[in-house]
Amino acid sequence: MDVSVSLARAANVAGVQLDVLGLGWNIIGPSPLPSHVLLASVSVPGDHDDRPVAFAFELRHGSGEPVMLGDDDAAQPVQISAEVVLPPASAVPDGLQRETTAIVEIASGMTLEPGIYEWLVSVDGESRPDWRRRFYVRAKVDEYRSADAD
């Protein structure tokens, strides 16, 4: 099983295609963050069973500690679950992988302190070290801003 994780400004599924805007960023902010999407694409062998693929996402600090949001007494870790259906095996020629993508919309307004964070992804309860996406939350708008940034 292969999994790739990306961040984008927006995304949606159009038929069998994935339409994505602003794909591949790793610097955002400052807080509160604008809306954005987390994408996790999985490829499985053609003979993989037809059950839905279960994704789990967890936001962590660069140090590895879970990000907790909410009031101190009621703070909860940022965890998101999603299920996505693979295309039927009959829709994929022999020799090709079956692929699907989970799109998780992150609403505007999330407040994170400046620093490094990462989304950890697990698929059907399995996780690997490379199934993650790191990003940086700026302290101010012009911090680490490239010439073509928004």
Side-chain angles (χ1 to χ4, degrees), residues 67-135:
V67 171
M68 306 293 281
L69 292 181
D71 296 331
D72 290 340
D73 293 338
Q76 296 288 317
V78 179
Q79 298 175 331
I80 302 167
S81 299
E83 267 193 2
V84 181
V85 177
L86 284 164
S90 61
V92 179
D94 287 342
L96 285 184
Q97 298 268 334
R98 292 168 67 193
E99 299 177 349
T100 193
T101 300
I103 301 172
V104 176
E105 296 181 14
I106 310 297
S108 63
M110 181 186 288
T111 302
L112 298 175
E113 293 294 320
I116 302 248
Y117 295 86
E118 66 183 354
W119 282 105
L120 302 173
V121 178
S122 63
V123 178
D124 291 337
E126 179 183 351
S127 185
R128 295 185 188 162
D130 58 330
W131 295 359
R132 61 186 65 221
R133 178 66 174 171
R134 293 176 69 94
F135 64 98

Side-chain angles (χ1 to χ4, degrees), residues 28-51:
I28 193 170
S31 284
L33 303 183
S35 63
H36 57 282
V37 295
L38 173 61
L39 305 158
S41 298
V42 62
S43 298
V44 298
D47 61 354
H48 187 275
D49 59 39
D50 286 333
R51 66 181 166 65

